[in-house]
Amino acid sequence: MLHGKRILLIVAGGIAAYKCLELVRRLRERGAAVRCILTRAGAEFVTPLSLSALTGDKVYGELFSLTDEAEMGHIQLSRDADLLVVAPATADILARMAHGLCDDLATTALLATDKPVLAAPAMNVRMWEHPATRDNLALLHARGLRTVGPNEGEMACNERGYGRMAEPAEILAAIEESLAGELPEGAERPLAGRRALVTSGPTREAIDPVRYLSNHSSGKQGHAIAAALAALGAETTLVSGPVALPDPPGLKVVRVESAEEMLAACQAALPADVAVCAAAVADWRVAGVAGQKMKKDGGGPPQLALSENPDILASLARPGNLRPRLVVGFAAETERVVEQAVAKRARKGCDWILANDVSASTGTFGGDRNTIHLIAGPPADEGSAPDPQVESWPPLSKTEVARRLAGRVAAFFAGEAA
Ligand code: CTP
């Protein structure tokens, strides 16, 4: 349900704009308040009158309408919303969002907002596939834009392919997912007074001053977990390797490069009640990093001697005064996922492990979804080696995995306090 939630719906100029009428109706049925900005091009496809009848509110259009500016400035429009939804998100409005243009009310509100934004792209398949659109979307995703669709199918222009706007029911589900777990202002935050530490992203291990060893971790999962813990009130430190993501709001971010720097930053962030290690720490570093750029001196390729990096998760989980009460790790596995994760949990000494099935069939690697098995319960080496509690989650977006985990962490501490 969306009771009390406020959606600012931006309708841009695409043939799919007619689907917004249905979307508004469904949002209102679920108790959301909807306010609309209709762009000049959007008004060629749907009328302000039909939107206004369905929202029960006036429809905003011109940036320099004096009465609108006096009654409801563009800053206020986005400040009053819990979520901004751009549907249809045309190639044009995505391009203007990516480049910070703000020559109408819609783009001005989008640039002025600090609220989450969800876009439902809709355009011709060639426009969707054009490198300009791909680059704009990559930039927008890196800045935190969420998208739903487009779908594949027959298009208004008689072509087939990706570009059809997601259906109202799909957009509605994405709106519900975007808003789930976002506590209203003033709500009780179950992790208030708790301290959280999260590692995220890859590490970079220098070979010489210009080269390094690293991996493809995006940091999306770790950043989402840090944001979800902070949203529940935890005072959160995010220790991150180099990523192209924006800093999540409301928490402390410590940027590091190497595994050794990550370990030192984690130790400096203690004490913490909960630590979640989501970073893809490089297992090895180069022994004896060259002080100067290594040259091709005719002697053939150099031999790199490697030494093992510290295990940050295992080191945080080691018994001692500063051990966080709850230490959570990840296990990326491609076969015998649960069995290997159970063994990894025992080896590293952490309390919970989120086993992530990264076999090709799950599409996890590089994707936005994760298939998780949460392994909790008393560790195998306590007493009679009880069966671990394994909870299998359906494939979920990384944001949803983060929210579920933060909810489980809150429930754990609530149980401890009871
Ligand atoms: N981890 C860590 N420090 C390391 C290596 C791993 O903190 N030097 C953490 C990761 O953040 C993750 C967990 O340990 O939470 C498991 O990482 P994974 O790469 O799955 O395991 P490895 O220890 O690398 O084991 P293996 O390569 O045998 O699967």
Side-chain angles (χ1 to χ4, degrees), residues 199-201 203 259 262 276-284 308-316 328-333 340 344 347-348 350 353-354:
T199 69
S200 184
T203 63
M262 188 172 271
V276 181
C277 291
V281 183
D283 288 317
W284 302 283
E308 195 160 330
N309 264 331
D311 190 313
I312 296 165
L313 174 62
S315 128
L316 289 171
V328 183
F330 271 81
E333 311 291 351
Q340 300 216 60
K344 195 169 276 184
R347 205 161 61 236
K348 304 221 179 197
C350 58
I353 208 151
L354 284 93

